[in-house]
Amino acid sequence: TQTTRPQRLLAAVQKNATRGDPRSVVKAIDQFCRQKEWAMNVGDEKGCILDSVVTEVNPATVLELGTYCAYSTVRIASLLPPHAKLITLEFNPHNAAIARQVIAWAGLGDKIQLVEGASGDWIPKMKEKFAIETFDLVFLDHWKDRYLPDTKLMEECGLLRKGSILLADNVICPGTPDYLEYIRNSPRYKSQYFRSHLEYTKVEDGLEKSVFLG
Ligand code: SAM
Ligand code: MG
C-alpha cells in the first residue's frame, strides 16, 4: 500500500532514533532527507542558525508557524529553558498527526502545544485561548505568502513586545519578497539576513532575523 513522505519520515525516526532523545530524532530525520527523500524541514545547516538564535534569545514563549513533521519544533523545544512554552500551528491534519508522534518520540510533549488550524484563524485567539501575553520568539516557516499578513496580524493583536524576535525561513528560496521588503524598511524592526542554503541542497537560501522595536 501507498505511504506518504511524512509517514516514511516517522518510520525512519522510530527505527533510528532513541526514544526521549531529541537530538537523535533530529539526526534521524536529517539522515532520511539526505539519503532517501528531500523534505521541507529547515534542515541541519539552517537548523544550526535556528539553534543559535533560540539559545541567544532564551525565550519563555515561542510561536512556530508551520509544523510539518515537527523537525524544527523538536530542535527549538530541546533548547528551551524549563517552563518555557512552544506553540506550533499546522493546518494539515495528516502532517499534524505525524508531528504529534515525532514529538512524543522525542519526549517533548510537555513543552510543546501543537494546534491544528490556520494561522490567520488562530493568531487572533492566542491571548484568550492560550493565556499568552506576547511571544519572545516567532519562527515563520508556513506558506510564504502568509509571512507578511500574519506578521501584521501579530502586530495588531498585540502579540509582539519591544524586543520580540521574528525568525523567518526560506526568505530567498522559495522566497518571501513582500515580507523582506516590509521588514527591512519598516522603522518598527531592525533586521538582519543570515545566509545559508536551502535544506539538504547547495541552493542559496537564508533566515531573516528581525527585532520588533515597538
Ligand atoms: N517548520 C517545519 C520544519 O522546519 O521542520 C517545516 C514547515 S513546512 C515548510 C510548512 C508547513 O506549514 C506545512 O506543513 C503546511 O501544511 C503548513 N502551513 C502552511 N500554511 C499554513 C497556515 N496558514 N497555517 C497553518 N499551517 C500552515
Ligand atoms: Mg522552511
Side-chain angles (χ1 to χ4, degrees), residues 63-66 88-93 115-126 130 142-143 146 150 153:
L63 175 64
E64 174 176 70
L65 302 176
T88 182
L89 297 186
E90 175 56 54
F91 69 11
N92 176 314
V115 178
E116 272 185 64
S119 52
D121 296 333
W122 274 112
I123 287 169
K125 298 183 194 154
M126 281 289 149
F130 302 104
H142 54 336
W143 294 161
R146 290 299 310 179
D150 285 342
L153 195 54

Side-chain angles (χ1 to χ4, degrees), residues 22-38:
R23 287 289 134 177
S24 78
V25 170
V26 166
K27 196 174 152 202
I29 297 174
D30 285 327
Q31 221 156 32
F32 172 80
C33 291
R34 288 197 176 278
Q35 293 168 8
K36 302 257 168 31
E37 299 178 47
W38 184 92

